Structure formats: structure tokens, C-alpha cells
Amino acid sequence: MSEVYEKLITCRKSVRAKTDFQPEVALILGSGLGDFADEIQIIQTVDYTEIEGFPVSTVAGHKGRFVFGYVGEVPVVIMQGRVHYYEGYPMKDVVLPTRLMGMLGAKKLILTNAAGGINFSFRPGDFMLITDHITTAVPCPLIGENVEELGVRFPDMSEVYSLRLREIIQKEAEKLSIPLREGVYVQLTGPAYETPAEIRMCRSWGGDAVGMSTACEAVAARHMGMEVCGISCITNLAAGMSSQKLNHKEVQETADRVAGQFKKLIRAVVRGIG
Ligand code: HPA
């Protein structure tokens, strides 16, 4: 058994000692969305610190726990606070929580994040349905011995973000009259924001939004056969696209400003796909 799988089994044991809850949908909450988890019907919470071998996030404002409960009738597990590559963890640890949620039974994964807008038509506060991603600038989480128990050595990535789920999300957004952009998410390492030259590079690659998470989690989830979808909150225009300098406060403020709408959309999406 690979080292990664052994660690996952240990983590699953820690969680299973606290709850036998069977989630159908897994959610990872990005900046500004964290309190969505406080608003669901909570059955059990498990702090990351209670899980043996679990990577614990260090970002201020990121709570670190799994929340198990119901959104409507749908049993969910929510990662309230994710682990980022820029915190110094190897990629296999960054995606460990995603894999763990899959191993706890979740068949579908909803990814959310805050992102900088690269597409000239995007505005801060817009939501973008992720249609595809570019991870070329960060290490692949599948590097190293393949975890045979989870998936194949060379997994297909031609439809990471499920077309079926994307169509459901579009319909739910329409019902709520929430405008939804679409585009390609580029994951870079962070934690420094990009330079204007890097943003021009991302645009020439075909990117519409840029961020420091998500795509690696999507790859790990697809590897193990989960159905994946993702929505970005465009919190700012990317570097060089306005006269403003970038800072985390602006990102947080925009995320907070539209959090109500974002949560409404996510709630509808969970019920729609669950
Ligand atoms: N760049 C990278 N990550 C981000 C940004 C950005 O402009 N905004 C929010 N997360």
C-alpha cells in the first residue's frame, strides 16, 4: 500500500471514530464563503487538528474543520477552510482532504474560490462557472507512486468539470437571476500576487481567472472518479488591469460583499446536483 493511501486510511479512521455520516456531496469553501457551513443543518463537526496526520491551514480567517450535515435533503461534507500549496505542504498533502472526502463516500465535489479576473469583460463581484483549468504552473498532485486504490496512473482530464453538473448550475443560477460567467481557471502557486506580465501570459494561455487553489483538488478528485464542478468569485481585476495595487483586504471585501448571493447560489446548486 502506498504511503499516501496509508495516511488516508489513518485519517478516515480518525473521522469515523467521530461520525458514521455518509455524505453525497463534498464542498470546499473559498474566501468569504466560510460561514456557509454554519448555516446548514449541522450533524457533526470534526476539527482538522483532531485528525491524525492532517495538514492544518495557517491562513488567518480560514477555519479548519469538516462540517457534516444536510443542505435541504442532501447529505454533505464541507471543508471549512482549505489547505493551500503556498503554505508549504507538498501537493499530495494539499489534496489529502479532497481525497478523504471522496473516501468518506462523497460522489460529487463542488469547488469554490476567490479569483482575479483576467477576462476583460469580468468585473469584481462576478461569479464564474469553471469550464476548464490550467495547472501547468503548479506540480501535479498525482506525482509520485500512483495510489492504485484510487485511480489509474494516467487519468484522462478532458472533462474535469462535469458538463452535466455545469448545465444544472446554469439552470439554478438562471432560476435565481444570478448572472453567471464561464471561463478557464488558472492555478498559480501564490502567495505573491501575479505580475502584469504573468497575467498577460495567463491570458495568452486562454485563462479567464487566476487563483491559488482548486485545480489541484479537481485533478485529485477526477483521478478517483468523483464528479467535479467549480465556481469562482471574481474578487478583483488581475494585476496590471487597473491602476489599483492588489491586496488581500480588497479580495476579502469583495468576497464578503457578494457572499449572500454566492451562498444562495451554492445552496441551490447542492440541492440541484445532490
Ligand atoms: N490572483 C491570485 N489569486 C487571487 C486573486 C488574484 O488576483 N484574487 C483572489 N485570489
Side-chain angles (χ1 to χ4, degrees), residues 15 18 27-29 33-51 54-59 61-69 76-83 97 100-101 104:
V15 173
K18 292 211 73 179
L27 274 129
I28 303 183
L29 301 178
L33 257 191
D35 66 354
F36 176 79
D38 301 321
E39 297 166 14
I40 72 161
Q41 187 198 337
I42 297 175
I43 299 295
Q44 179 76 45
T45 63
V46 181
D47 288 352
Y48 298 158
T49 50
E50 296 177 88
I51 306 172
F54 201 86
V56 178
S57 177
T58 56
V59 182
H62 285 252
K63 268 193 201 167
R65 60 178 193 170
F66 284 119
V67 176
F68 295 88
V76 299
V77 54
I78 300 180
M79 252 194 107
Q80 197 174 24
R82 57 153 56 90
V83 181
L100 182 57
M101 292 192 291
L104 291 167

Side-chain angles (χ1 to χ4, degrees), residues 114-117 192-194 199 210-212 233 235-239 246 251:
Y193 286 117
E194 302 71 34
I199 292 304
V210 63
M212 307 173 189
C233 174
T235 51
N236 57 282
L237 299 181
L246 300 192
V251 167

Side-chain angles (χ1 to χ4, degrees), residues 16-265:
R16 283 292 173 232
K18 292 211 73 179
T19 180
D20 60 1
F21 191 86
Q22 297 290 325
E24 173 66 25
V25 175
L27 274 129
I28 303 183
L29 301 178
S31 297
L33 257 191
D35 66 354
F36 176 79
D38 301 321
E39 297 166 14
I40 72 161
Q41 187 198 337
I42 297 175
I43 299 295
Q44 179 76 45
T45 63
V46 181
D47 288 352
Y48 298 158
T49 50
E50 296 177 88
I51 306 172
E52 200 184 326
F54 201 86
V56 178
S57 177
T58 56
V59 182
H62 285 252
K63 268 193 201 167
R65 60 178 193 170
F66 284 119
V67 176
F68 295 88
Y70 291 93
V71 175
E73 306 275 299
V74 183
V76 299
V77 54
I78 300 180
M79 252 194 107
Q80 197 174 24
R82 57 153 56 90
V83 181
H84 297 87
Y85 183 60
Y86 61 70
E87 292 174 73
Y89 298 104
M91 265 303 180
K92 62 179 191 292
D93 280 348
V94 174
V95 302
L96 179 139
T98 303
R99 286 171 155 168
L100 182 57
M101 292 192 291
M103 285 174 57
L104 291 167
K107 311 275 183 306
K108 297 154 200 158
L109 173 65
I110 303 172
L111 295 159
T112 65
N113 60 44
I118 297 175
N119 185 311
F120 287 115
S121 75
F122 289 0
R123 290 290 165 266
D126 282 352
F127 300 124
M128 184 191 88
L129 180 61
I130 302 176
T131 54
D132 204 347
H133 71 214
I134 296 171
T135 63
T136 315
V138 297
C140 180
L142 309 181
I143 288 174
E145 185 185 349
N146 185 45
V147 186
E148 291 294 332
E149 292 86 348
L150 298 183
V152 297
R153 171 76 295 187
F154 301 110
D156 174 67
M157 291 287 148
S158 51
E159 191 186 313
V160 175
Y161 301 88
S162 156
L163 189 55
R164 189 183 81 85
L165 297 187
R166 272 149 52 196
E167 284 171 357
I168 294 172
I169 294 169
Q170 288 283 17
K171 281 205 189 96
E172 294 298 336
E174 241 166 71
K175 275 196 247 167
L176 293 169
S177 302
I178 295 176
L180 195 55
R181 313 290 202 138
E182 282 196 344
V184 173
Y185 178 88
V186 183
Q187 181 177 2
L188 301 180
T189 66
Y193 286 117
E194 302 71 34
T195 64
E198 284 164 343
I199 292 304
R200 289 193 297 275
M201 175 194 75
C202 291
R203 190 180 297 115
S204 76
W205 281 359
D208 296 291
V210 63
M212 307 173 189
S213 65
T214 303
C216 56
E217 296 153 340
V219 169
R222 284 303 301 141
H223 175 242
M224 65 190 295
M226 294 174 82
E227 202 176 5
V228 175
C229 60
I231 304 173
S232 294
C233 174
I234 305 297
T235 51
N236 57 282
L237 299 181
M241 293 178 66
S242 77
S243 53
Q244 249 181 297
K245 295 215 163 133
L246 300 192
N247 67 77
H248 187 60
K249 190 161 161 276
E250 183 203 352
V251 167
Q252 203 68 52
E253 278 170 4
T254 309
D256 290 344
R257 175 166 63 78
V258 295
Q261 288 283 89
F262 206 0
K263 285 188 279 190
K264 212 194 270 184
L265 177 60

